[in-house]
Every structure is written in C-alpha cells, then in structure tokens.
Amino acid sequence: MSEELRERGRELAAALAADGVVGLTIAWADNNGIPRSRTVPVPALPQVAVSGVGVTHLFAVFDTNDAIAFGSTGMETPSGDVRLVPQLDRITRLAGQPAFAWAPGRLVAADGSPWAFDQRSVLQRVVDRLAADGYTALVGYEMEFGVFEQASDPEDTELLAAHAGPAYSPHALLPIDDFVAAVMRDADANGLRLGQIHAEYGPAQVELSLAATDPVTAADQQLLARQTVLAAAEAHGLRVSFAPLPTLNGAGNGWHVHSSLWRGGDNLLAGTVDGPRGTAGAGYVAGVLRDLPALAALTAPSLGSLARQRPGFFAGAFSGFWGVENREAPLRYVPGSALLGEDHANLELKVSDASANPYLALAALLTAGVAGVEENLVPPAPVGEDPGTWKKKQRAAAGIEKLPATQAEQEEALVANPRITGVLGEELLGAFLAVRRADAAWAGEKETEEVLGAWRWRY
C-alpha cells in the first residue's frame, strides 16, 4: 500500500508541477470551525502521500484565539506529534491561487494508526455505519458571508459594506460584480457546483449554495469554498467575514445544512407541503428535533453563534418545533413539488454556522436523524408561524423553548445526550469542551461587540 501511495504521489506531483503548481496546502478544520493547514512543496508529495507531515497534537485544543486549552485527556502537555495526511483523491488546483493546490487532510497518530481527535474520521465512521444499515445521505450547504472594503488603516475597526443592498437585488451586486464573477469562475474550476449566488438580506451580505453531495465530500467542499471565496476577495481588494455575527448591527451569517436520507434509491424525506410522505421521513425530522439542543452545541457552538440566534432573524432561535417552509423554524422542511419532484425534499438545519467543525456537525446531524428513523419517532405537527411573536405561556404550552443561550447551557445539553456525545467519543468530547470553556473564560466580562470584533475574520 505504501508503494502504491508513493507512486500515486509521484504521478500527482509531476502533473501539478507541469501546471506550474509549487505547493500543496493540506487543510483541516479544528474544533472552532477554523481551517488550519500545512503547505508542502510539490516534489515532497510522494513521501507526504505515505507519511504525511507532522503537526502538534495540541491543535485539538486550540481555542478561537489560538490559545491552547491544556488539561483534557491526552492534552495535558506540549509533548506529542501527529501526522497530517492529504487525501489524494481530493487534490484540487486552486484557480484563484494558481501556484497552489489544495487537499483536505486526515490526522493520524504518529505510527499511522487512527487518532481519536480526527474529526474527518468521525464523519467517515458515521457514513460507513449508515451504509452498513442500508442508508446513504445527501448534504448541501447555503453559506452566507459579509463582503467589506479593505480598510486603509489596519487599525481601523469600522466595517465598510462593499454593497449596500437592496436585499436580494441584482443592483446590490453591481459594486462587486468582478468579485462575484471570480467566485463563480473559480468555484467551477475548483470542482464546486454552485446552485446560486445572490445578495442576501443583510447589508454587505452575500450567499452562495453548494449542490448536494455525499456528507464527507460536502464537508470537504465547505472548506474548499471558503478558500475559493477568500482568494477571490483578496484579488479584488475586498475582505470577507464568515463569522456567525460580524457585528451586532448585522443579520448574521448562517451556514444552513440541507440534508436528505436515502434507502434503496428512495429519498425518505420525499413529500409535499403536508410533510414527508412516509413514517421514516417523519422519524428523521423527529430525531433531529429531539436532539436539537445538544446538536446545536456542535453546529452553532461559538459565542458568536449564541449572539446570532435571535428571534426574527431566520436563525432558528427556538427548539421544540419544525415547519414546512417556515424560515423562523430551526428545522425547515423543504417539500418536493410537481415542478421539482417529491425527491427534491430535504430538511434544512438553520442552527448552523461557520464556527462549527463541518465533519462533527454532519456526523451528529445524521446520527440524530437516523436514530429517529430507527426508533419510529413521530414529530409534532409543523408550525407555520413565528413563535417569537407568541407569549411565553403560548410557547410553553406548545413545547417550544429557547435554545441554550450560554456556553454552560450548551455544554449541559450536550453532555446529557449520549447519542451526540457518543459520536465524538470521550477524548474528542473532552477537547471540544475544553476549547468552548476557554472561549467563554476569555470573553468573561467583555462586551459582546468586542468579542464579535475579535473573531470577525477568524473563520
């Protein structure tokens, strides 16, 4: 196997060098959703394909500010090393950075054995387990981000919107149409299938959607899409924020996850405006809904996430309900239709953003949904209204309540849910909680706007 990998590395290195590529960037996402990487010279690829490149094991406990949260099991000291191995079948020459190629990486122990803290492997295990039970899944992302002018003074914290709206208008994109065109060209060249790109609701906000694909590929492509957008922004003198809430005055950036579960070629979510047509699809909705408070601790885990989850902002601020095409619901059922076909149906998770590790988020989401199918769960009736406009007693009577609103509340919901914690395993869970606590301790008595400003460009 090693010699096969080495030979494949030689072939890829020769092809990349012939195209003028000098470096391969190997990327992964940490427990804050922040992409990390190593870039290796292309001639080193034959060896790197076999043995990877060394990185500190402590990346598992880097917090959002790049501080190291020592103390969780396996992360007590600075002594240790792991290997970052590129996924050769995912190597992509970057259209916006033509001297570089990109690949997602897998973290393994120093001897090449599985490493408990590797998030990509967590998702792969869940996908393999689903396949063994006869299931496959499709996942697509909607990615919102803010586009801003580069400040002439690096110390200037004022945000200058690169477009001023109107929301969803073609007029809004005119000031940045060269940037948008570059994103579309580069995405296509990088193998990303865009569904659409448009001006979103918030000032300076843009959204792009990625076509649905298998879960591991979807997570990989989410990271590649970030690199693609950031390179286009840099080339056009712009700055992009993927942060859940760049500023309190903004609408916030959700990275909505659209998922569907399939068995024997059939979409179990298939249905119309009445909801999924079968009990399995209803069970998937019910399973995700049941675990939503714990799930949100992985899919929207940062302090910025918590600040974004406000009623009236299509952010999924409440748990305990779902809706058909209800954009205030944390779970929005997107039905099929005569035009698109019933198999177009999917479930959109609103409580999701860039601070989530995409591999862990999808692993937990699919685990929750499939558990609902296997247990024949039945969801409550869908809600078509905005519960944020209801009286508190009315929400309580309907079983609708606010999602956990602090790091401590999120942790409590997560550790109380063995289905979701079981996805991570004890060691990875410990590291994940360590960085969440570190972020909360750093924020301390700081004003929310100061915290948001510090993390505006981190993702």
Side-chain angles (χ1 to χ4, degrees), residues 272-366:
T272 64
V273 292
D274 295 321
R277 66 170 177 241
T279 56
Y284 185 84
V285 174
V288 178
L289 187 62
R290 174 179 62 179
D291 289 337
L292 188 59
L295 180 62
L298 296 180
T299 62
S302 69
L303 302 179
S305 306
L306 297 172
R308 172 182 166 264
Q309 288 167 22
R310 300 164 292 179
F313 283 82
F314 293 179
F318 296 96
S319 66
F321 82 105
W322 64 290
V324 177
E325 295 288 27
N326 182 350
R327 285 174 168 79
E328 273 296 325
L331 301 179
R332 169 185 168 235
Y333 178 71
V334 183
S337 68
L339 181 63
L340 297 173
E342 287 193 13
D343 277 349
H344 176 76
N346 62 83
L347 186 66
E348 179 189 30
L349 174 67
K350 289 280 191 180
V351 191
S352 171
D353 60 53
S355 67
N357 179 289
Y359 303 100
L360 296 186
L362 296 186
L365 170 66
L366 295 172

Side-chain angles (χ1 to χ4, degrees), residues 71-161:
S72 63
T73 301
M75 300 291 153
E76 296 88 353
T77 75
S79 300
D81 200 56
V82 294
R83 308 298 293 181
L84 175 66
V85 181
Q87 303 305 288
L88 301 183
D89 60 334
R90 298 287 164 90
I91 291 180
T92 301
R93 184 185 178 185
L94 295 170
Q97 300 170 261
F100 295 91
W102 178 99
R106 183 170 57 90
L107 292 162
V108 300
D111 63 0
S113 61
W115 192 50
F117 300 88
D118 178 52
Q119 299 95 340
R120 193 175 189 270
S121 296
V122 170
L123 177 57
Q124 187 63 62
R125 285 196 298 271
V126 169
V127 170
D128 291 345
R129 187 164 63 246
L130 263 60
D133 292 335
Y135 299 107
T136 57
L138 289 176
V139 173
Y141 273 95
E142 291 177 349
M143 302 169 62
E144 296 172 342
F145 51 92
V147 185
F148 303 96
E149 302 286 352
Q150 288 274 14
S152 55
D153 180 358
E155 301 299 318
D156 188 355
T157 59
E158 182 182 3
L159 289 177
L160 303 174

